[in-house]
């Protein structure tokens, strides 16, 4: 008896989704809550877990196919009919042939590791082996189990170390366990996920993570993924690199002493299909640029007092809140507070009217391997530093791990993007409708500056940051943008954040 798994509702405003990748194939075993496939919507990419346990019998929606919520995606059965009548579930002759082929694998595996290694059974019966290359293999299978112990010890062990092809370890698994030959589907399903399309790496690895691993000198086959479904993430690669300081130190002299070698991305000379998320971002960016009048204003802010306050409290902050005190919560707090005094920056356009929301819902731009996503912090102007720090860290982590709910990406009235996290001084961010403004924060840098000391001018080392506000000139004038930016600037340069620590 089989059960259909349908595309669930992924949010109030989500009506359809695109199947981007199947994580299970026909014949694979799946447990309850184990990821079945990846689905992309116009808001977020996510994995669909299986509501039942069983065996995948039929995939009803192919990759890159877009379907509505409620559409049946896959059929899952109880798996009790795999060895005998399982192939008749769908009345498909190809499934029957596949089942027959799987049934033969455990029988031939004890006598041969690869097709080119047929002399393996000769020590047991030297004369019958040359008499036939294929048919004698079947009668030898029943007599092979007594000799199975020495075979894995002598033959299968060296090949995995010397031969990188995934086919060798995949066939070695059934050879070591000839007894469960009555259930070939189970052994086949267990062997398939290990040697994935990424070679010997277990779990899906994105090009960005693979590139980072190459840069850090990390062998991905030794990394255990902490992401959903065992996915290897950037943090896993960085953690693995940190555990090998000796290797990193040994590589440093060669990198500096030798000639410079430019990085070569694995994407060079290739092409890839745009994901649904990338398509949606592209369409909305073009729509925003063609339907609004956008420009950017920039101010320079002396955040020396913020830096001093942060240095003085960051150890206690971590101890009492469990979160790190970066510059971002200060920028978010100052920007949100200023929105209350300058609501036009927080407004939206509806027809010929300007709508001023009752709350300041700040979208935080998060850089992920799938693209830029903007989860929303609701009623941001009411939060303190501890709440901002916790909210930003939580949303960023869940966004990168595909654990974000689609509704958490909706309702933003203003966006904050930290382009300085990648070293940029400032940029001119794009406003995404229906919002009217976005604030970009650059990298905090130290440099000499002229300051007043006891009424006299002097040169001192100060910390500076650029704040860039892009806005829709249809409803926000340059003077409005400047007033808002100066309000944020004054709040940061004042540096009085002790009442806003949150503990």
């Amino acid at each position: 008896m089989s059960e259909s798994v349908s595309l669930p509702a992924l949010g109030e405003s989500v009506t359809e989704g695109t199947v981007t990748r199947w994580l299970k194939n026909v014949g694979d075993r799946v447990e309850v809550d184990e990821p079945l496939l990846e689905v992309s919507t116009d808001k977020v990419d996510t994995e669909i877990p299986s509501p039942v346990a069983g065996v995948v019998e039929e995939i009803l929606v192919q990759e890159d196919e877009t379907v509505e919520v409620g559409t049946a995606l896959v059929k899952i059965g109880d798996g009790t009919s795999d060895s005998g009548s399982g192939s008749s579930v769908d009345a498909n002759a190809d499934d029957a042939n596949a089942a027959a082929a799987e049934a033969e694998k455990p029988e031939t595996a004890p006598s041969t590791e690869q097709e080119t290694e047929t002399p393996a059974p000769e020590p047991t019966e030297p004369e019958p082996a040359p008499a036939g290359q294929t048919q004698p293999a079947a009668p030898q299978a029943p007599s092979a189990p007594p000799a199975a112990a020495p075979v894995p010890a002598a033959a299968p062990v060296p090949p995995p170390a010397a031969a990188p092809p995934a086919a060798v370890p995949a066939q070695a698994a059934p050879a070591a366990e000839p007894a469960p030959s009555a259930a070939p589907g189970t052994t086949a399903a267990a062997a398939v996920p290990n040697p994935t399309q990424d070679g010997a790496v277990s779990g899906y690895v994105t090009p960005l993570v693979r590139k980072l691993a190459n840069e850090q000198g990390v062998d991905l086959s030794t990394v255990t993924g902490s992401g959903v479904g065992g996915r290897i993430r950037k943090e896993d690669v960085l953690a693995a690199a940190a555990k090998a300081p000796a290797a990193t130190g040994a590589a440093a002299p060669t990198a500096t002493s030798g000639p410079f070698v430019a990085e070569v991305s694995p994407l060079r000379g290739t092409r890839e299909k745009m994901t649904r998320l990338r398509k949606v971002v592209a369409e909305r960016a073009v729509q925003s640029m063609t339907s609004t009048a956008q420009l950017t204003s920039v101010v320079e802010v002396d955040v020396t007092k913020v830096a001093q306050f942060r240095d003085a409290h960051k150890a206690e902050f971590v101890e009492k809140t469990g979160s790190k005190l970066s510059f971002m919560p200060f920028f978010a707090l100052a920007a949100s507070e200023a929105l209350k005094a300058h609501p036009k920056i927080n407004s939206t356009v509806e027809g010929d009217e300007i709508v001023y929301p009752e709350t300041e819902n700040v979208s935080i731009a998060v850089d992920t391997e799938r693209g830029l996503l903007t989860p929303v912090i609701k009623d941001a102007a009411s939060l303190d530093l501890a709440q901002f720090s916790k909210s930003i860290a939580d949303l960023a982590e869940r966004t990168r791990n595909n654990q974000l709910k689609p509704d958490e990406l909706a309702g933003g009235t203003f966006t904050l993007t930290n382009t300085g996290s990648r070293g940029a001084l400032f940029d001119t961010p794009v406003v995404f409708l229906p919002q009217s403004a976005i604030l970009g924060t650059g990298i905090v840098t130290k440099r000499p500056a002229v300051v007043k000391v006891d009424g006299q001018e002097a040169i001192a080392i100060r910390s500076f940051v650029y704040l860039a506000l892009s806005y829709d000139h249809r409803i926000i004038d340059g003077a409005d943008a400047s007033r808002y930016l100066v309000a944020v600037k004054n709040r940061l340069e004042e540096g009085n954040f002790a009442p806003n620590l949150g503990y």
Side-chain angles (χ1 to χ4, degrees), residues 15-106:
T15 60
E16 63 180 18
T18 301
V19 175
T20 54
R21 189 167 72 101
W22 279 100
L23 305 177
K24 294 292 182 180
N25 299 315
V26 174
D28 287 355
R29 179 78 185 178
V30 62
E31 303 298 332
V32 176
D33 292 334
E34 185 177 2
L36 265 175
L37 70 157
E38 292 179 349
V39 172
S40 176
T41 71
D42 59 355
K43 292 184 178 297
V44 69
D45 291 355
T46 187
E47 292 177 341
I48 304 299
S50 176
V52 296
V55 176
V56 177
E57 294 181 348
E58 184 180 3
I59 292 177
L60 304 176
V61 179
Q62 302 305 313
E63 293 183 358
D64 296 328
E65 187 175 345
T66 302
V67 294
E68 295 182 354
V69 170
T71 302
L73 302 173
V74 62
K75 287 184 179 180
I76 298 178
D78 53 19
T80 57
S81 58
D82 283 352
S83 57
S85 58
S87 59
S88 62
V89 173
D90 299 317
N92 192 314
D94 291 338
D95 291 345
N97 294 336
E102 290 292 337
E104 292 177 4
K105 285 184 181 178

Side-chain angles (χ1 to χ4, degrees), residues 318-340:
V318 173
E319 180 183 349
K320 293 191 176 182
T321 68
S323 302
K324 293 182 179 180
L325 184 60
S326 65
F327 283 100
M328 194 63 177
F330 294 95
F331 298 151
L333 188 147
S336 301
E337 287 180 349
L339 289 176
K340 294 194 298 183

Side-chain angles (χ1 to χ4, degrees), residues 300-308 311 327 443-449 460-465 493:
E300 182 183 61
V301 183
D302 185 340
V303 290
T304 304
K305 289 184 179 180
V306 173
Q308 294 171 345
D311 290 339
F327 283 100
I443 187 173
V444 177
T445 59
K446 290 183 177 181
R447 67 174 186 270
I461 302 299
R462 310 290 290 180
S463 295
F464 288 96
V465 68
E493 291 187 342

Side-chain angles (χ1 to χ4, degrees), residues 86-383:
S87 59
S88 62
V89 173
D90 299 317
N92 192 314
D94 291 338
D95 291 345
N97 294 336
E102 290 292 337
E104 292 177 4
K105 285 184 181 178
E107 298 179 7
T108 57
S111 61
T112 175
E113 298 244 352
Q114 296 178 344
E115 293 180 3
T116 59
E117 297 181 5
T118 53
E122 289 183 0
T124 308
E125 293 186 33
E127 295 183 2
Q133 295 297 329
T134 55
Q135 293 184 353
Q140 287 174 4
S143 61
V151 171
V157 174
V168 175
Q171 292 184 354
E177 296 181 26
S181 58
T186 305
T187 54
V192 169
N194 289 328
T196 63
Q197 60 184 1
D198 296 303
V201 181
S202 176
Y204 174 65
V205 181
T206 64
L208 288 177
V209 171
R210 190 176 295 280
K211 175 184 175 183
L212 179 62
N214 292 335
E215 294 174 351
Q216 299 291 332
V218 174
D219 183 0
L220 288 175
S221 62
T222 64
V223 179
T224 301
S226 62
V228 179
R231 173 177 295 171
I232 298 176
R233 299 161 43 234
K234 293 180 181 178
E235 290 79 0
D236 301 324
V237 174
L238 294 175
K243 292 180 180 178
T248 305
T254 58
T256 54
S257 60
F260 174 77
V261 179
E263 274 182 28
V264 178
S265 169
L267 298 178
R268 187 168 180 258
T270 67
R271 64 171 62 192
E272 64 179 1
K273 189 172 182 179
M274 291 176 66
T275 63
R276 179 179 173 82
L277 177 61
R278 176 52 58 190
K279 290 179 182 177
V280 171
V281 171
E283 292 171 358
R284 291 184 175 177
V286 172
Q287 179 188 8
S288 178
M289 293 298 291
T290 56
S291 60
T292 62
Q294 295 190 25
L295 70 159
T296 305
S297 296
V298 182
V299 295
E300 182 183 61
V301 183
D302 185 340
V303 290
T304 304
K305 289 184 179 180
V306 173
Q308 294 171 345
F309 181 89
R310 173 175 170 264
D311 290 339
H313 292 86
K314 61 182 180 181
E316 181 186 19
F317 191 87
V318 173
E319 180 183 349
K320 293 191 176 182
T321 68
S323 302
K324 293 182 179 180
L325 184 60
S326 65
F327 283 100
M328 194 63 177
F330 294 95
F331 298 151
L333 188 147
S336 301
E337 287 180 349
L339 289 176
K340 294 194 298 183
H342 303 275
K344 189 175 289 188
I345 310 299
N346 194 52
S347 65
T348 59
V349 177
E350 290 186 7
D352 57 355
E353 293 183 338
I354 301 175
V355 179
Y356 300 95
E358 295 181 355
T359 58
E360 293 72 32
N361 300 332
V362 177
S363 302
I364 303 295
V366 179
D367 178 34
T368 74
E369 297 165 2
R370 305 179 311 280
L372 192 67
L373 294 171
T374 53
V376 180
I377 298 178
K378 303 294 176 64
D379 198 12
S382 66
L383 304 184

